[in-house]
Amino acid sequence: MDYSRNSNINTRRQHTSPTKKLRNKIGVIVFRVIISIGLIAGFAVMGAGIGLYMGVIQKAPDINVNIQPEIFTSIIYDAKTGVEVDRLKGSENRIYVKYSQMPDDLKDAFVAIEDERFYTHDGIDPKGIVRAAVTMARTRGARTEGASTITQQLIKNNVMKLSSNSVISKLQEQYLAVNFEKELAKANNGDKKAAKDYILEVYINTINLGHGFYGVQTAARNYFNKDVSELTLSECAAIAGITQNPEKYRPDIRPEKNKERQTMVLDNMLRLEYISQSEYDTAIKDNIYERIVESQLELEE
């Protein structure tokens, strides 16, 4: 390279020449124009996205704090003796039970397997959504995980009444879940725990548990011939395990599949410290499938 005095002077002149300055100025202007166009386009896309989202949620169905299932089983008793005479069942065999009538193990089992952050989220579970997205990305769609909360499932079953979700219905479901929890908490004087307990109560009374048994009371009576309040930990876990796929995990005809789910429920309950190691060990060893009441199941078919 030429480091002579004349060469240095020429180099300085090139950097300070009007042409060079003009080029630099034009470059800065072009850069600013590109950035401005990018920002405008970004805001336009964001605005369009917000507009589309608002349009989606405006078309969401109305919802109120009373979100209970509509179909129940009617029980007829003899007026003199008080003995049950008959049951009139609709398309869903369901006997509603209050939250206070359910054993804690049953409620904990459903939370552990369906929505372990149920009592801390506000209707949707961001961690669950991220986990499901990562799993789908890693497996290139070969494996999916559910990210729906108990609140979302309740709204899907009792309000939207859909067997599957589209992108639009999923957005509506999430929006309704957040607003439902907020309004329900207000109706309970700001008591979020009471609102959550009510959601869990209705959900547990809503779900399909195989054989046309809807809700835990009907399942308890027909699988184990006992009231829901009398269920053991092992029986609670078995019933909670049915929910994901009632035909696949029915304890009477697919005990080995139900046992897999029951174990998963108990594993989660132990990890979340709902039960002790000794309680877990006892429940795992309990062969509940010997106690399934086949004659009662045949009667209910």
Side-chain angles (χ1 to χ4, degrees):
M1 294 182 68
D2 187 0
Y3 291 104
S4 66
R5 183 170 181 272
N6 289 336
S7 176
N8 290 336
I9 291 172
N10 289 333
T11 301
R12 285 197 297 271
R13 284 176 178 173
Q14 289 175 6
H15 285 299
T16 58
S17 67
T19 302
K20 184 68 174 180
K21 288 181 178 180
L22 181 60
R23 287 177 183 172
N24 290 340
K25 189 173 183 179
I26 291 173
V28 171
I29 292 172
V30 170
F31 177 75
R32 289 177 176 174
V33 169
I34 292 174
I35 292 297
S36 297
I37 291 173
L39 289 173
I40 291 170
F43 283 122
V45 171
M46 186 183 299
I50 292 172
L52 287 172
Y53 179 71
M54 293 302 294
V56 167
I57 63 175
Q58 283 174 1
K59 294 179 181 179
D62 293 331
I63 188 171
N64 57 53
V65 295
N66 184 13
I67 195 174
Q68 293 190 4
E70 299 174 352
I71 302 173
F72 298 91
T73 298
S74 297
I75 304 175
I76 301 174
Y77 296 95
D78 185 284
K80 294 182 179 179
T81 63
V83 175
E84 180 180 326
V85 176
D86 196 7
R87 294 190 178 197
L88 304 178
K89 301 187 292 291
S91 58
E92 298 178 0
N93 185 1
R94 174 185 292 108
I95 301 173
Y96 198 95
V97 287
K98 292 292 186 181
Y99 184 87
S100 59
Q101 296 172 271
M102 305 173 191
D104 289 340
D105 283 338
L106 182 69
K107 294 174 280 194
D108 292 341
F110 275 98
V111 171
I113 195 64
E114 294 290 315
D115 185 3
E116 65 181 58
R117 286 177 288 275
F118 174 66
Y119 279 97
T120 57
H121 65 61
D122 294 315
I124 60 174
D125 181 11
K127 289 184 179 180
I129 294 172
V130 171
R131 184 198 66 240
V134 169
T135 298
M136 184 177 291
R138 284 178 177 173
T139 61
R140 297 181 181 180
R143 180 184 166 197
T144 58
E145 291 184 3
S148 293
T149 63
I150 285 175
T151 311
Q152 287 177 247
Q153 293 178 60
L154 180 61
I155 287 170
K156 179 182 176 182
N157 292 335
N158 289 14
V159 178
M160 306 187 76
K161 299 180 180 179
L162 298 172
S163 58
S164 61
N165 270 325
S166 64
V167 173
I168 289 177
S169 66
K170 194 68 176 179
L171 290 173
Q172 291 175 335
E173 176 190 294
Q174 292 173 345
Y175 166 77
L176 290 173
V178 172
N179 279 273
F180 177 60
E181 288 209 5
K182 185 187 300 182
E183 292 303 314
L184 192 58
K186 286 182 182 178
N188 284 276
N189 299 315
D191 189 342
K192 183 176 178 178
K193 173 66 165 53
K196 291 283 191 177
D197 289 347
Y198 176 74
I199 291 170
L200 186 60
E201 173 188 307
V202 180
Y203 172 74
I204 290 177
N205 278 287
T206 296
I207 49 179
N208 178 7
L209 294 169
H211 278 293
F213 305 149
Y214 285 80
V216 291
Q217 178 72 315
T218 308
R221 286 188 178 279
N222 289 281
Y223 285 125
F224 300 108
N225 195 26
K226 59 173 65 174
D227 188 84
V228 67
S229 62
E230 301 171 324
L231 290 173
T232 65
L233 170 59
S234 53
E235 292 165 349
C236 289
I239 288 177
I242 301 171
T243 311
Q244 187 185 58
N245 188 326
E247 291 307 308
K248 181 178 180 180
Y249 296 117
R250 275 168 46 179
D252 58 313
I253 61 172
R254 293 185 175 87
E256 69 289 344
K257 288 294 182 181
N258 182 270
K259 181 63 178 179
E260 291 175 6
R261 287 288 292 175
Q262 182 212 44
T263 301
M264 189 180 298
V265 174
L266 291 169
D267 286 344
N268 285 2
M269 293 180 76
L270 180 63
R271 175 174 57 82
L272 295 169
E273 299 182 349
Y274 287 135
I275 57 175
S276 66
Q277 184 65 55
S278 62
E279 289 173 320
Y280 173 89
D281 293 340
T282 300
I284 284 289
K285 294 175 183 176
D286 182 18
N287 186 3
I288 64 165
Y289 307 100
E290 294 179 343
R291 301 198 293 273
I292 297 295
V293 187
E294 294 181 0
S295 60
Q296 187 73 4
L297 288 172
E298 292 171 2
L299 183 64
E300 290 291 343
E301 287 292 348

